[in-house]
Amino acid sequence: MIVTYNWLKEFVDCDLAPEELSHLLTMLGLEVERMETIGGGMDDVVVAQVLERNQHPNADKLSLCKVDSGKEILSIVCGAQNFKAGDKVALAQIGATLPGDFKIKRSKIRGEESFGMLCSERELALSDESSGIMILPEDFQVGTPLFDALGTKDTVFEIGLTPNRADCLSVVGVAREIAAKLGKKVHYPGHEVQEKGAAIETIASVAINAPDLCPRYTARHITGCKLAPSPAWMVERLNAAGIRSINNIVDVTNYVLLEYGHPLHAFDFKLVAGGKIVVAAAGEGETFTTLDGQERKLTASDLTIRDGEKAVALAGIMGGGNSEIGDGTTEVLLESAYFNPSAVRKTSKRLGIHTESSHRFERGTDVAGLVRALDRAAQLIAELSGGVVAKGMIDAYPQPIEPRVITARLSRINLVCGLSLSAAAVKDIFERLEFEIIEEKDDVFKVRVPLFRVDLEREIDLVEEVVRLNGFEKVQATLPTASVFSDLPSDEQRLTSRIKDLLVSQGFSEVINYSFVAPASCEKVLLPEDDFRVKGVKLLNPLSDELSVMRTTLLPGLLDTAVKNISFRTLNLRIFEMRRVYLPVPEQDLLDEPLYVGALLTGNREAEGWNQAKGEIDFFDVKGILENLLADLNVPGVSYSTDNLDPYFHPGKACQVKIGNRVLGSLGELHPTVQENYGIATPVYYLELNFQALVNARKPKGSAQVPSRFPSTFRDIAMLLPLEVAAEEVVRCVKGVKAPELEGVEIFDLYTGGNIPQGQKSLAIRVRYGSKERTLTDDEVTRLHQRVVDGLQKKLNVSFR
């Protein structure tokens, strides 16, 4: 919000210097972000009088003038043609700095010396346009600084308001705060409207078809208007606030908006069909062209102002080009209304329109003060355009809004403030803020809050008002009391950190993606329509269409991250995410939110280098990463199955991770179609684990075992078996021989093709035998080894090579 020092002083008697006033506003919670002096540092621009104007001897379009600066007679070269000898003009003397950091120096122009510059309004930033130098009134005294003579020297304050302080989006609102702090009264501008025309009811009518979106609508009619430029004082104040002057009628609506903080709109009444105003929702798909020339497509949730035939304005946002004030306007219908903040905010956001009007309506305006703003604007329009105001006004107010009544306890105020204020002091603060005390009993106040304070809803809000007006600086600093205790992480928290550390130690980087995904993400990872994960929860107010559904799997987010990295030529990726997914539960409102670990790999196994073998990541790299993780977490008894794989995995290159019938997760290469959907050319591998299943599968770590002092013996077995028999079954069969001397088994060779019969594979295992009590004899090992061989032949029907 931008206000000026002189404008504020019209509403409140304040003898504070601008710097002191800036500090006062900031301490009231209205932080002054910028303070600028209009005409400051320009005292070298003075009122001067042209004594002589002669033709420049060396230039046809230049004049050589003798100018009285009040101190001396100066020779000035000037190119303007709109002045004569005897005129009083604005002279920028040598050393002056004009707006735009333009410094005036002694110069020689076409052979003649010039000791200053005669200025135009544009060069002094007093106007956007000028046709020549500035001609001043004859009664101005020569030698007086120009801005002192004009009375336009002022200070501009730019206040950074928090969204809840809608009441201070006006000069009156800021003045009201100053008056409350200084204990003074606000001088509201006079607005006695001279009504001379016919009764307004015979001219126009107003109907509100959506009272929930527009509780109140008022209007006045002015005829006999004549469009003209606005007076200088109004233009200067609008310019100071960053608003461009248009004409005397439109400028009045902007001026009163700044003054009272209540938006108004002026219609060319001749363009309002039937003289009717109807406040109603737009038709679904209706198009409407706003004042900026843009055609807008409306929905049934958009509130419009309509005449007897069509929409003429977007309520609270912008008027329409079909009813705007133009050169031929002579009759004006002036609107002052209150619109529902959420309705204005919704339409403004959807259409991407932000105006001074919508900015205020979105935050809440004063429904009780809109008549005052209407009368003020009607009075000014009549004065500046020569118009006549019709008798009476239309005030459609079907459901009056009552002010809030809030109870405040003195004990609570002092407890929160850390002060010892008396009831009289608190009462005085409330009255200075224009609050009405309707009851005071046992140091408990019942306060009726004025409607312009839309931000006050609870007792704590009144406590804040007391602190603000009493002075934040009077609140003593105290140290809070707190109990110190140790909050050790839970087992699950430690396990979470441990899993992340293990993955990072194997070259992974953690990523954190949004919990929201695009609706098409499930389709891109090939989940069928009947999969429960496709029915993700949709957000009511999404950030965008691409982030509108709660994720049911980590895979789409990791793939999106991989695509972004690959686009920046980071081709060797190991990334993981440990986050929750949001799964719908049939016939329940609450979601299941399990924690999952998702890891994605693509590219080469090692970074490229002369001393590294080049090879792409494969299935066994991912399986090895999983085995390291399970071993560290002490999750024994894991098996792998190719049943019930998710459709986003490559058939034959993926598996489930299980303990008994419980599924821990899955791993493998992603389906080529998934990779194609994401535009990834190289194979991508994915590992997914259910965190809670890992927690449940962990076993307590036992004590360390002392290694045997006696040597072990190794026996190898090479066998032929059908391709469909998993190597894991062979290992399980060997371990099924219950003997303490059987210390371990491992697979060291797998071969197919060549001389191996079709449909079979060659598998070689190495069995380790040993004892902690003695060295086993050859006969003992042979007998035990024969039991292993017999078991394999009997259970798996293998043949030995």
Side-chain angles (χ1 to χ4, degrees), residues 154-275:
D154 204 350
T155 301
V156 175
F157 301 103
E158 184 174 345
I159 302 173
L161 293 175
T162 52
N164 63 313
R165 291 309 304 270
D167 59 300
C168 290
L169 284 168
S170 65
V171 180
V172 168
V174 176
R176 195 160 42 211
E177 289 286 297
I178 297 169
K181 181 64 177 178
L182 299 179
K184 298 182 180 290
K185 294 292 184 182
V186 178
H187 309 306
Y188 291 100
H191 47 267
E192 293 184 6
V193 184
Q194 300 297 319
E195 301 176 343
K196 298 179 181 178
I200 192 171
E201 291 82 3
T202 65
I203 303 171
S205 64
V206 171
I208 301 177
N209 292 350
D212 54 328
L213 302 181
C214 176
R216 190 177 192 184
Y217 192 101
T218 65
R220 278 193 178 274
H221 178 269
I222 308 154
T223 189
C225 299
K226 183 178 179 181
L227 256 64
S230 296
W233 60 268
M234 181 175 285
V235 174
E236 289 164 6
R237 286 186 172 172
L238 291 175
N239 286 341
I243 296 178
R244 181 175 59 89
S245 174
I246 298 174
N247 57 55
N248 51 354
I249 295 177
V250 175
D251 287 357
V252 165
T253 62
N254 288 329
Y255 183 84
V256 175
L257 174 140
L258 295 174
E259 191 173 62
Y260 275 103
H262 195 90
L264 304 111
H265 187 70
F267 298 99
D268 186 330
F269 189 64
K270 290 182 179 179
L271 301 177
V272 177

Side-chain angles (χ1 to χ4, degrees), residues 415-434:
L415 177 65
V416 174
C417 297
L419 300 173
S420 299
L421 297 174
S422 65
V426 172
K427 182 178 179 180
D428 177 61
I429 288 173
F430 286 156
E431 289 176 344
R432 283 189 278 148
L433 287 166
E434 300 185 20

Side-chain angles (χ1 to χ4, degrees), residues 63 126 174 198 307 328-329 386 422 440 487 527 531 578 582 607 643 683:
S63 301
L126 294 174
V174 176
D307 61 13
T329 299
S422 65
E440 181 185 356
D487 187 11
L527 291 179
D531 193 301
M578 192 170 183
Y582 304 90
D643 298 332

Side-chain angles (χ1 to χ4, degrees), residues 509-768:
S509 298
E510 184 179 10
V511 300
I512 299 177
N513 293 307
Y514 283 115
S515 298
F516 326 122
V517 294
S521 61
C522 290
E523 182 181 348
K524 290 177 72 174
V525 296
L526 307 183
L527 291 179
E529 292 184 1
D530 58 350
D531 193 301
F532 73 100
R533 288 170 292 183
V534 173
K535 300 177 177 63
V537 175
K538 295 181 180 179
L539 301 179
L540 293 177
N541 188 24
L543 295 173
S544 68
D545 291 339
E546 294 301 308
L547 296 170
S548 59
V549 178
M550 301 295 290
R551 67 183 173 199
T552 56
T553 170
L554 299 177
L555 180 56
L558 287 168
L559 282 169
D560 286 334
T561 301
V563 169
K564 290 177 183 177
N565 279 271
I566 291 171
S567 68
F568 285 98
R569 304 301 298 165
T570 304
L571 304 179
N572 302 324
L573 284 175
R574 292 191 179 202
I575 56 176
F576 80 93
E577 185 172 16
M578 192 170 183
R579 305 278 283 173
R580 295 192 181 277
V581 297
Y582 304 90
L583 305 176
V585 180
E587 300 181 0
Q588 290 189 23
D589 294 332
L590 295 178
L591 301 175
D592 184 18
E593 302 180 18
L595 183 64
Y596 270 80
V597 183
L600 188 143
L601 306 86
T602 187
N604 292 332
R605 185 176 294 111
E606 303 285 350
E608 291 188 8
W610 64 270
N611 60 341
Q612 299 287 353
K614 186 175 180 179
E616 290 187 343
I617 291 171
D618 59 23
F619 173 87
F620 295 103
D621 291 304
V622 187
K623 186 169 180 285
I625 290 166
L626 173 65
E627 289 173 345
N628 290 339
L629 189 67
L630 297 177
D632 189 276
L633 299 178
N634 198 32
V635 179
V638 171
S639 63
Y640 301 92
S641 169
T642 57
D643 298 332
N644 300 319
L645 284 175
D646 282 310
Y648 45 73
F649 281 116
H650 194 306
K653 296 185 179 182
C655 64
Q656 280 190 337
V657 185
K658 304 173 72 173
I659 293 182
N661 293 326
R662 289 182 298 165
V663 178
L664 294 184
S666 53
L667 68 113
E669 183 179 339
L670 292 182
H671 197 285
T673 304
V674 174
Q675 295 176 197
E676 182 180 345
N677 289 342
Y678 283 88
I680 303 176
T682 56
V684 179
Y685 293 88
Y686 180 57
L687 165 65
E688 185 176 76
L689 296 170
N690 186 314
F691 175 77
Q692 191 57 49
L694 278 178
V695 172
N696 297 337
R698 291 184 72 207
K699 300 294 183 184
K701 290 191 176 182
S703 57
Q705 299 295 318
V706 178
S708 174
R709 296 183 295 110
F710 304 99
S712 298
T713 301
F714 298 88
R715 296 286 176 91
D716 294 345
I717 305 174
M719 66 195 84
L720 291 175
L721 68 164
L723 286 172
E724 60 271 13
V725 177
E728 184 182 7
E729 293 186 45
V730 174
V731 173
R732 192 181 302 121
C733 182
V734 173
K735 290 182 177 180
V737 177
K738 303 296 184 181
E741 295 83 8
L742 199 156
E743 293 183 333
V745 57
E746 62 183 21
I747 299 168
F748 70 87
D749 186 52
L750 172 66
Y751 180 71
T752 58
N755 297 325
I756 305 301
Q758 188 174 1
Q760 291 195 320
K761 59 185 174 183
S762 172
L763 187 72
I765 62 173
R766 179 166 293 152
V767 186
R768 185 174 76 252

